[in-house]
Amino acid sequence: MDNLSDRLVTCFGLVFPNLPLDEIPSAAAGNISDWDSIAQINLLSVIGEEFGIGIDFEQFEGATSFPALLDRLREINGRG
Amino acid sequence: MRLSEALRINQLSLAPDSRCKKVQLVCGFTPLHLGTFVEAYIRNRFPGERASIISGLFGDVEGNLKRASREEAQGAVVVMEWSDFDARLGLRSSAGCDSPILADILEHFPATISRLERGISELAGRMPTVVVAPTLPIPPLTHLPLAQSGSFELQLQYQMIGLLSKLCGIGGLKILNESMLASRSAFRDRRDVNLEFHAGFPYTTSHATALAELCVECLYPPIPKKGLITDLDETLWKGILGEAGPSGVSWSVESRSQAHALYQQLLASLAESGILIAVATKNDAALVREAFARRDMLLKETQVFPIESGWGAKSDSVARILRAWNLSAEDVVIVDDSPMELAEVTAKYPAIEGFRFPHNDAAEAVKLLSMLRARFAKTEVHAEDRLRLESLRNAPSINQTQSSGDPLDFLAGLDAKLTLKFGTAANDNRAFELVNKTSQFNLNGQRYTESEWQAVTNAPGAFLLTANYEDRFGPLGKIAVVVGRCLRNKLYVDIWVMSCRAFSRHIEYHVLERLFEKFGVDCIEFAFRPTERNGPLQEFFTRFFPHGLTAERFELSANVFMALRPTLFHEVTEVSHG
C-alpha cells in the first residue's frame, strides 16, 4: 500500500470505526450497512481535511468504494 | 478541533456504566458536523462520560423545538439561521426576491418570531438551553450595494434583537455571544455553499467547531477560579515603587501606562463580584501602603487581602495568602511581570495558573485582561460573594480569640444565629453554586450540571436544606447545603457541603441534629466518597467513627450522634418554605 492508500485507510477508520482494518481496502457502500449518505459526507469531509483539498461533491459522485475513492484521489494528486 | 480529532474523541471507549449527557441539538438544517463537534466538546469537558446528541427533522425548527421539549435531556442547544424564520431567506430557496416577496417576508416575520419565542421558552423551562442567533449573513436579496445596509435587513435584525432581548430574561436560558463567536470564526469563512446544497449543512468545518466549542462552554461553563494574586511593580502599575516612590508609579493614558489602569479596573470589578484579590510583592510594606493611599488608585486597599510585602521567596508569600484565604492552589491564579517569579511560584505550586503581565505590550495586556475575565466569569453574583472578603479579614481576630481560651467558651460567646431553611432548589442558585465549588467539607466531591441538580433535588422524597450563619464577627450568608431523601423512615444524604469560611463553629453538628429531629429517623445514610480534598469532612466524622470512614456508604445512628456530639450553643431558626 502506498502513502495515499494508508491515509485513506485512516479516514475510513475514523468514519467506520467498527470496520476491521483488513476489510477497508475492499470496502464499498454496498457491503457496509453504516455507509449511508451522511456517512458519505462525513467520509468526504474527513478526506478533504486529511488531504488538504476542498471537496467538490460532484467530482466524487459515485465514488462509493475504497478503490473508487483512491482512484479519484490519485487523479487529483496527479493534477496537483 | 479538526473533524478527524472530534471523531477520534467520540470513539474513545468508556466504561459501560459511564454517565451520559443527553443534549438536544435543535436546528433546521442537517446537524452533521455540528453534532459531531458538540459531542466531542462535551466529552472533552466531562472525561469519562458519554454524550448523546439528539436532533430533529430537516427544515422544521419549530417542530423540533416542540419535540425537544417533550424529551428528557440534560440540556439543549438551539441554533437558528435566517432560513428558519423564512425559507426564502436561505440559499436553498429560489422563490424570488422582488419587492412583494420581501414585503411578504417582513409581514410574516413577527408571527414566526412569536412562535419561536414560545417554543424556546417552553424548552428552557424544561432544561438548560443555549440559543444561537443567526450566524450566517442574510443573502443579498435587495437592489442595494453590498456595502450599504438597507431597511429590509435592518428590520429583520431589529426583530431578531427584540427576540433575543426577551429570551435573555428567561431563567435557565443563555444567549451565545456573537462577538466571541466572531473572534473565533470569521464571518467570511462560515458558510459552505457546496455542503449546504449537497447535504443541507450550511457551515464550514472551522465554523462548526468554533460554534460547537462556544455552545458547550455556554451550556457547561467552567468552574471559576476564586482568587487572584497580583504583583505590583510593572504589573498593578508602571514603574518600580522602590525607585520611583509612591508618586512616581503610574497607570494612565497620559503616562503611557493605561494597560495598568485597565488591569486595576478589572481587579476592582472582580473584587466587587466576590473574587479574592491579594498582593505578593518584593517591596517595602510602608511604601506599598503609601502607594495604595493614592486617591487615584482604581483598586482600593479595602478590596485587597492580604497584602504580602517582603523580600523572601514569592512562593512563601503565596503560601501565606493561600492559608489566609483557606483555598487550594488550583483555585487561584497569579499575575506577575517576571517570568522568573512565576516559575518560582508554579514550581512550588504546579496547580496555580500563572500569567505574565506584558507590561511593555499594551495589546497583549488587553488580551490578558480578557483571559483573566474568562477565568473568573460567573453567571450570577450572590450576596455571599460580597461578604467573603469581610469574613476573611475577621478570621485572624476570630482565630486569636479562639486560641486564647476554651473553644466552647469561644463558641458560646459568638452570639451565633443559624437559619436553616427547608426549601426547593428552583430559585436557589447560590445553593447550586456552593455545591459545585466546595471541595473541603464535601461529602463526595460530586459536581452537578443544572439539569442534574434539578433532577437530584426533584427526586421522590427529596429535600434541600440550606444554612445561613451570622455571629458577632458578621454574617457569612448561605454557607451549607444538604440534599437528601427521606424514604421509608430512613434518611439518605446525597450531598453535603459547607463553606470553608464556616469551619470551627460547630455548624455541621447543628445541621445533623436538626435533620434527626425534623425527620424523626433513627439513622442517616451518607453517600460518602473520599476525595483528595475532602479531609475536613472526614475529620469531622472521626468523632463518631474513630477508625475513619472505610465504606463509601455509611450510617450514623441518632443514638451515637447524640452521645458523642459536643454541646451546641447557636440560636437556630427554621424557615420551612420559600
Side-chain angles (χ1 to χ4, degrees), chain A residues 25-36:
Chain A
S26 58
N31 57 27
I32 298 175
S33 60
D34 290 345
W35 196 331
D36 56 12

Side-chain angles (χ1 to χ4, degrees), chain A residues 11-80:
Chain A
C11 297
F12 267 74
L14 285 169
V15 179
F16 304 112
N18 299 323
L19 189 63
L21 264 183
D22 59 338
E23 290 180 22
I24 288 177
S26 58
N31 57 27
I32 298 175
S33 60
D34 290 345
W35 196 331
D36 56 12
S37 58
I38 295 289
Q40 175 76 359
I41 299 289
N42 266 329
L43 184 58
L44 292 177
S45 299
V46 171
I47 288 171
E49 200 175 77
E50 169 65 25
F51 293 92
I53 51 174
I55 294 291
D56 175 348
F57 291 96
E58 279 169 19
Q59 187 186 5
F60 281 84
E61 195 80 47
T64 51
S65 69
F66 184 92
L69 283 164
L70 191 56
D71 282 348
R72 303 284 160 90
L73 282 172
R74 283 192 175 126
E75 276 172 32
I76 292 168
N77 213 31
R79 282 205 302 270

Side-chain angles (χ1 to χ4, degrees), chain B residues 132-334:
Chain B
V132 184
T135 68
L136 299 173
I138 300 170
L141 298 176
T142 70
H143 56 81
L144 287 173
L146 292 184
Q148 183 182 340
S149 277
S151 166
F152 176 71
E153 267 191 37
L154 289 171
Q155 285 187 67
L156 294 179
Q157 285 165 352
Y158 175 75
Q159 292 189 56
M160 183 60 64
I161 296 289
L163 170 65
L164 298 177
S165 303
K166 283 186 193 167
L167 293 176
C168 206
I170 297 173
L173 190 148
K174 296 166 185 170
I175 311 283
L176 195 85
N177 184 334
E178 165 57 32
S179 303
M180 189 49 65
L181 180 62
S183 73
R184 299 187 193 185
S185 173
F187 213 56
R188 64 175 181 279
D189 297 330
R190 292 181 176 184
R191 181 165 239 150
D192 187 328
V193 175
N194 281 326
L195 202 50
E196 185 168 1
F197 288 166
H198 196 82
F201 181 69
Y203 299 153
T204 57
T205 311
S206 60
H207 183 51
T209 188
L211 184 55
E213 184 179 22
L214 269 187
C215 285
V216 172
E217 209 174 303
C218 204
L219 192 60
Y220 301 117
I223 293 170
K225 300 279 184 181
K226 298 175 184 173
L228 183 149
I229 301 171
T230 183
D231 179 37
L232 295 181
D233 294 340
E234 307 292 10
T235 302
L236 196 66
W237 51 60
K238 182 183 177 185
I240 309 292
L241 185 62
E243 295 170 6
S247 59
V249 292
S250 66
W251 51 89
S252 65
V253 173
E254 295 75 24
S255 54
R256 298 189 180 180
S257 52
Q258 178 65 5
H260 300 277
L262 295 178
Y263 178 58
Q264 283 195 27
Q265 181 177 276
L266 170 72
L267 296 199
S269 158
L270 293 178
E272 280 304 293
S273 67
I275 303 302
L276 300 170
I277 309 291
V279 164
T281 179
K282 288 184 173 169
N283 260 312
D284 179 78
L287 279 180
V288 171
R289 273 196 301 277
E290 246 185 274
F292 265 102
R294 270 179 58 170
R295 296 182 66 164
D296 56 344
M297 274 288 283
L298 300 168
L299 177 69
K300 305 295 178 196
E301 191 178 357
T302 51
Q303 295 174 307
V304 183
F305 176 78
I307 296 178
E308 283 286 339
S309 317
W311 305 102
K314 208 151 242 192
S315 59
D316 292 341
S317 297
V318 168
R320 287 190 290 274
I321 291 167
L322 292 178
R323 268 201 305 278
W325 283 351
N326 199 9
L327 288 183
S328 301
E330 67 186 38
D331 295 324
V332 169
V333 305
I334 183 166

